[in-house]
Amino acid sequence: DEEAQKLAKTMMSKKASRLYGRMQHGISKKRDLVEELQRKRKNIEVDKNKKGKTPDGKTMLKAKVERLKNERRSIEKDYEKSASAGSMKKRRRK
């Protein structure tokens, strides 16, 4: 196939062979660009699937909300235990 192309190119005029060479160069650049974009798309989709969820299947945002709720509950429990020791409210001066 390559031999046939070389033979055909030698039979072309100088102007036609240059034009043919430029066309082939443009086609290969477009093909490389398409391959690069497809590779990037594949990488983005793989990253989306990996980073989007925690090991237990929840999204990162839901996991954060649950973690903050649990922290707040534990602080409330600690406060209830120590409520007899004193109040955290500001006292007014008379």
Side-chain angles (χ1 to χ4, degrees), residues 49-61:
N49 291 337
K50 283 184 182 178
K51 293 182 181 178
K53 298 198 176 188
T54 59
D56 55 339
K58 297 177 183 169
T59 62
M60 297 300 267
L61 187 59

Side-chain angles (χ1 to χ4, degrees), residues 2-94:
E2 289 181 25
E3 291 179 21
Q5 286 181 349
K6 287 182 182 179
L7 182 61
K9 195 171 181 181
T10 57
M11 298 300 290
M12 291 181 197
S13 65
K14 187 175 181 181
K15 185 176 183 179
S17 68
R18 284 186 179 178
L19 179 62
Y20 180 77
R22 289 179 182 147
M23 286 171 47
Q24 294 303 315
H25 180 70
I27 291 169
S28 66
K29 281 181 73 172
K30 286 180 184 177
R31 189 179 309 122
D32 291 343
L33 180 64
V34 168
E35 289 172 1
E36 177 73 16
L37 291 173
Q38 287 175 345
R39 184 183 59 78
K40 284 183 180 181
R41 176 183 280 173
K42 184 179 176 185
N43 288 342
I44 288 171
E45 288 175 358
V46 167
D47 289 344
K48 218 184 252 188
N49 291 337
K50 283 184 182 178
K51 293 182 181 178
K53 298 198 176 188
T54 59
D56 55 339
K58 297 177 183 169
T59 62
M60 297 300 267
L61 187 59
K62 279 202 175 220
K64 182 179 179 182
V65 168
E66 285 186 9
R67 181 180 53 84
L68 292 173
K69 280 183 181 179
N70 291 335
E71 287 178 7
R72 189 179 66 222
R73 285 182 191 140
S74 66
I75 291 171
E76 287 175 358
K77 285 179 184 177
D78 291 341
Y79 179 71
E80 287 175 5
K81 288 179 185 175
S82 65
S84 60
S87 175
M88 294 184 68
K89 291 184 178 180
K90 275 190 169 181
R91 296 184 183 196
R92 289 190 191 173
R93 290 189 177 181
K94 292 184 178 181

